[in-house]
Amino acid sequence: MLSRNPRLAGSGLAVLVRHNLLLMRREPGPLLSRMIMPIAFLTLLRPLYLAAWRGGATANQQAVIATLVTFSLLALSISGSAILTERLGRTWDRLRATSLPPLSILAGKAIPAYAVLLAQQAFITGFAMACFGLRVTHPVLLLVVLLTWSCTLLCLGALLGVLVRSVGALSASYDIGGMLLSSMGGALVPLAVLPHWVRSVAPASPGYWVARSMRSAFAGDLHGVLLGSLVL
């Protein structure tokens, strides 16, 4: 049994992190899809954004925002499934029965999922910079947004993993919820061209705040970044 001694607790946390990373490596399909699909989406739909904005930096930024927000919301499955699989396999109670502190158990689940979520967003942004000439003149502001958004996604995914009762319910939740939150938040399409009622309810979507924060980061607007990050 794991002890509450800080050193042993830290060792137990490291074991849980390695265990969850091992589970991800054994089933790489979901991770690969969350990395490859947004790149394909960005590559194929970027010309539409370029045509709509008649080229320029704004078109590139909107294409990246649309891709990143949409597919990071779909990646809620990563953090959600990390908890749901333990519940369905009835191993969650075994973890709780150990003397490892509850926060360490949650951290053992959260750290790998958080790293994957952040890596997905960094990969999309880096790909756009390398292949499509996306200009990031304020990288620190953008990093603040990505770190905050990854934390928000982690919490939302964990909430789904606790509330749903089956893999099918989890899949429906992040598929439907991800597309709704992204679309109604003005990530896929700017709010200016959407119906008035959508603009009215958009601030209720976390997708609205991350899209707004990313636009502020690209523009170098510190106040906008801090406001969006605080809401998230």
Side-chain angles (χ1 to χ4, degrees), residues 38-71 132 134 179 182-183 186-191 193-194 211 215:
I39 298 305
F41 180 92
L42 176 60
T43 302
L44 295 175
L45 293 189
R46 176 174 170 268
L48 296 179
Y49 289 100
L50 290 175
W53 271 268
R54 299 180 181 178
T58 304
N60 266 339
Q61 293 170 7
Q62 181 60 43
V64 170
I65 291 171
T67 303
L68 190 147
V69 175
T70 300
F71 284 92
F132 299 137
L134 175 69
M179 292 304 297
S182 176
S183 302
L188 279 174
V189 180
L191 290 175
V193 299
L194 292 176
R215 293 188 184 101

Side-chain angles (χ1 to χ4, degrees), residues 17-158:
V17 171
R18 288 197 299 270
H19 172 68
N20 284 285
L21 288 173
L22 178 62
L23 293 178
M24 290 181 178
R25 289 198 298 268
R26 286 181 175 177
E27 294 291 342
L31 298 182
L32 290 176
S33 70
R34 296 304 178 225
M35 296 294 182
I36 296 173
M37 288 176 61
I39 298 305
F41 180 92
L42 176 60
T43 302
L44 295 175
L45 293 189
R46 176 174 170 268
L48 296 179
Y49 289 100
L50 290 175
W53 271 268
R54 299 180 181 178
T58 304
N60 266 339
Q61 293 170 7
Q62 181 60 43
V64 170
I65 291 171
T67 303
L68 190 147
V69 175
T70 300
F71 284 92
S72 61
L73 281 167
L74 293 177
L76 289 174
S77 59
I78 296 172
S79 54
S81 62
I83 293 179
L84 182 61
T85 51
E86 296 280 5
R87 290 177 53 215
L88 295 179
R90 301 189 183 282
T91 54
W92 186 250
D93 290 337
R94 296 180 187 177
L95 284 174
R96 294 174 60 193
T98 68
S99 57
L100 192 67
L103 286 179
S104 294
I105 297 176
L106 292 175
K109 288 289 181 184
I111 291 173
Y114 186 83
V116 170
L117 291 169
L118 189 59
Q120 181 204 43
Q121 296 170 52
F123 182 58
I124 294 171
T125 306
F127 177 83
M129 293 172 63
C131 299
F132 299 137
L134 175 69
R135 296 185 61 185
V136 181
T137 55
H138 304 278
V140 175
L141 294 182
L142 184 60
L143 179 61
V144 170
V145 175
L146 297 186
L147 290 172
T148 306
W149 179 232
S150 296
C151 185
T152 302
L153 292 171
L154 183 68
C155 295
L156 289 174

